[in-house]
Amino acid sequence: MSEQLTATGRWAEDTPIGEVRDPGSYEVTEREIVDFASRWDPQFFHTDPQRATSEGAFGGLIASGIHTMAIYQRLEITSRTQEWHVIGGTGIKDLVLRRPVRPGDVLTGTSEIVDRRLEPERRRGLLTFAGQLVNQSGELVLSLQVSAYVHMRPLATPADPTHPTNDREKA
């Protein structure tokens, strides 16, 4: 490991299966929907409010699904009260976009740890989170499972005061 890990924060072994977190809420604006889609998903029902209303299947402007996923990710990360020792994500599965996200919607997230596979020999664990976003009416707009590797606590070394060999009384 070339990076320096701090002693504080959340490690893979600190994350119990079944832990549920409330990542908070986020209000989506028309400007944000258009700006995001103009750059990353330039389809008229994401970028042109008038055309989305007159020609779109949803009767108005809607957010890109990729944008909705990005909102979930931001809520998940920024809501953490302490640093997690994340190595990196490994994938998303079971992604479902249940209903469109519209300007003015307030999205509220939930996140539950549904699996944890520790790999002590590699000092990491694979965590799987089940996430959801609901709108201000409590209607499900997004559900997914995200997996990421998280570091396990580093092993103590003889130079470390917590190492077992330092428990011996000095003669």
Side-chain angles (χ1 to χ4, degrees):
M1 237 180 282
S2 61
E3 67 186 77
Q4 184 72 6
L5 297 177
T6 62
T8 61
R10 200 86 190 261
W11 304 96
E13 62 269 36
D14 296 336
T15 53
I17 294 172
E19 178 181 274
V20 178
R21 296 181 47 260
D22 174 4
S25 298
Y26 184 85
E27 184 172 356
V28 183
T29 68
E30 179 178 295
R31 178 82 260 142
E32 176 184 11
I33 290 172
V34 171
D35 288 349
F36 183 95
S38 293
R39 181 152 187 181
W40 302 109
D41 193 359
Q43 300 181 79
F44 77 89
F45 45 88
H46 300 318
T47 61
D48 185 338
Q50 289 74 33
R51 190 170 168 209
T53 299
S54 63
E55 298 177 35
F58 296 100
L61 192 72
I62 62 169
S64 166
I66 302 299
H67 184 188
T68 305
M69 289 173 33
I71 291 168
Y72 171 81
Q73 179 70 3
R74 179 169 179 83
L75 287 173
E76 172 64 32
I77 300 305
T78 61
S79 69
R80 296 177 181 169
T81 58
Q82 63 188 87
E83 176 185 358
W84 287 46
H85 297 288
V86 175
I87 298 168
T90 63
I92 296 172
K93 69 177 193 173
D94 300 328
L95 172 65
V96 180
L97 301 165
R98 300 296 295 181
R99 56 185 35 82
V101 172
R102 301 177 183 281
D105 278 356
V106 176
L107 304 181
T108 301
T110 59
S111 178
E112 178 181 0
I113 298 172
V114 295
D115 194 26
R116 178 185 76 180
R117 296 185 183 163
L118 299 178
E119 300 175 11
E121 69 286 351
R122 299 191 72 186
R123 305 306 307 152
R124 69 182 189 180
L126 181 62
L127 305 180
T128 302
F129 301 80
Q132 293 187 338
L133 289 175
V134 297
N135 64 19
Q136 65 281 356
S137 300
E139 300 168 317
L140 183 65
V141 298
L142 173 140
S143 63
L144 74 165
Q145 285 198 0
V146 179
S147 296
Y149 278 111
V150 175
H151 288 287
M152 292 178 69
R153 274 184 190 77
L155 294 173
T157 64
D160 184 333
T162 63
H163 192 273
T165 60
N166 292 323
D167 289 339
R168 298 182 195 138
E169 291 185 34
K170 296 187 179 189

